[in-house]
Amino acid sequence: MQLLDLKTKDLWSGKFTELKSKLEELEVQKCIHIAQHKWTALKEIPRVEALIFGAWNSLPECYCEQVVLPLGRGFGGSSIFNGMVYSRGNRKNYNDWAEQGAVGWSYEEVFPYFLKMEDNRDFEYLANGFHSVGGPMSIEKPRYHSEIKDAIFEAVEELGYEVVDPNGAQQTGFYDFQSFLKDGQRCNTAEAYLVPAENRTNLHILGNARVRKIIMDGVQAAGVQFDHKGSTYEIKARREVIMAAGAVNTAQLLMLSGIGPKDHLEKLNIPVVVDLPVGNNLQDHWVVLLNYEIDPRIPTVE
């Protein structure tokens, strides 16, 4: 095992793409960003990355045999191949987290960061007080406009339903969604945060590396162990370790580091550092797709 002498690096990120704003606030800090793959032009094609970089397969559950969970193993994480739909989530979810002890995660507390992130390019959304401009993430409507969409919205209003902003005051209703797009092309977090910061002298970007575990000093994260080009390295952090490896891999890394359910870790001969219910209660969002047959003279996307 080789030990990298990076003691001057005050921040470490396992897969953290939103570094730019952090660096602007802490100009003197040193950072290293590690991801399993590098940049790729295929990120512009929806879903292709999932086919190349693999996926997790869930265990069978009561409502389905198996669910495939694509992995965003590259700079930008899953934002390099996701559906690009801009949805913040419901305010009740954030408030529930805060009530359960997640300090700082109420809707009122996270809302300013949504505004800080946005560069909303659709002016009709800016008047309601729930959006902003000038942030790193470009938000706009998809440029394709189906003829049938206008007819649907007219029918919705005639029937007394509301057309709403899904990220506004209320989310119940019909809406014309926005996407993470810039001039009609995908805007992922790597392009928004990492690319503008990649030439900073206090940022190191390391691709084709896989994190093995977090190095612990008692119950304090002290660094990271990772594989790169056939060798294993350790990086010691002077200030903090930031984990952002996704909903599945973040939990996996914590458990590999000894933070997780005691019974489960002991079965795998992993020394227990902290007995916590890591990995429990993963919840994905439901999507119900409704298919309709329409007049063949109306153009659609297939």
Side-chain angles (χ1 to χ4, degrees):
M1 180 182 297
Q2 301 180 45
L3 182 65
L4 292 184
D5 183 15
L6 292 176
K7 294 181 180 179
T8 59
K9 312 300 184 286
D10 289 330
L11 297 176
W12 181 89
S13 169
K15 199 176 178 187
F16 188 55
T17 58
E18 298 187 4
L19 286 171
K20 182 172 180 289
S21 58
K22 185 78 171 179
L23 289 170
E24 288 174 345
E25 296 169 5
L26 304 171
E27 286 284 353
V28 299
Q29 305 303 327
K30 300 287 187 177
C31 306
I32 182 168
H33 171 92
I34 298 178
Q36 195 164 354
H37 293 276
K38 291 186 175 182
W39 314 106
T40 169
L42 291 174
K43 67 186 184 304
E44 304 300 339
I45 307 174
R47 311 304 299 179
V48 170
E49 294 281 357
L51 299 177
I52 295 175
F53 290 158
W56 289 105
N57 292 318
S58 72
L59 295 174
E61 297 196 42
C62 59
Y63 56 85
C64 65
E65 287 298 316
Q66 193 175 70
V67 174
V68 177
L69 302 172
L71 296 176
R73 296 188 297 185
F75 294 136
S78 296
S79 72
I80 57 181
F81 66 76
N82 64 10
M84 298 178 286
V85 176
Y86 180 39
S87 177
R88 297 173 179 170
N90 189 275
R91 68 174 61 213
K92 186 177 186 301
N93 293 137
Y94 297 103
N95 291 335
D96 286 347
W97 293 346
E99 290 177 5
Q100 294 170 26
V103 178
W105 280 92
S106 70
Y107 180 80
E108 289 72 21
E109 289 170 300
V110 300
F111 177 66
Y113 294 94
F114 287 128
L115 296 181
K116 184 178 180 180
M117 175 195 73
E118 272 194 32
D119 184 21
N120 204 303
R121 298 182 165 209
D122 295 326
F123 293 109
E124 65 268 31
Y125 285 90
L126 295 175
N128 64 11
F130 285 88
H131 298 279
S132 64
V133 296
M137 293 296 295
S138 176
I139 311 293
E140 62 185 36
K141 291 181 183 178
R143 295 190 174 185
Y144 174 76
H145 187 89
S146 173
E147 294 179 13
I148 198 172
K149 184 167 69 173
D150 293 332
I152 291 174
F153 283 149
E154 288 177 10
V156 163
E157 292 178 335
E158 285 180 8
L159 292 172
Y161 295 102
E162 291 186 77
V163 177
V164 302
D165 172 5
N167 296 307
Q170 71 173 59
Q171 293 178 302
T172 302
F174 292 79
Y175 59 87
D176 191 3
F177 70 87
Q178 292 186 293
S179 298
F180 290 101
L181 294 170
K182 185 175 184 178
D183 299 326
Q185 293 188 319
R186 176 186 297 273
C187 178
N188 64 59
T189 55
E191 291 174 331
Y193 289 93
L194 270 184
V195 171
E198 64 180 333
N199 293 321
R200 287 178 177 265
T201 57
N202 60 346
L203 171 64
H204 296 262
I205 300 175
L206 181 64
N208 295 325
R210 183 178 180 87
V211 177
R212 282 175 168 264
K213 65 178 182 178
I214 307 302
I215 301 169
M216 303 298 296
D217 181 8
V219 295
Q220 182 74 31
V224 174
Q225 184 183 103
F226 66 95
D227 294 332
H228 179 60
K229 294 184 177 180
S231 298
T232 300
Y233 300 88
E234 289 187 356
I235 293 180
K236 297 298 180 65
R238 178 179 295 175
R239 189 182 181 94
E240 62 182 330
V241 174
I242 301 174
M243 295 183 62
V248 176
N249 287 70
T250 298
Q252 181 196 36
L253 275 176
L254 285 171
M255 287 189 277
L256 289 172
S257 308
I259 302 172
K262 180 179 179 181
D263 293 343
H264 182 57
L265 298 182
E266 288 179 343
K267 289 179 182 178
L268 298 172
N269 296 318
I270 298 175
V272 179
V273 177
V274 183
D275 180 14
L276 289 174
V278 172
N280 294 347
N281 201 33
L282 172 64
Q283 298 181 31
D284 204 349
H285 65 81
W286 286 93
V287 175
V288 178
L289 301 178
L290 303 177
N291 297 314
Y292 298 91
E293 184 176 348
I294 65 173
D295 190 319
R297 293 172 295 179
I298 299 176
T300 60
V301 175
E302 296 182 358

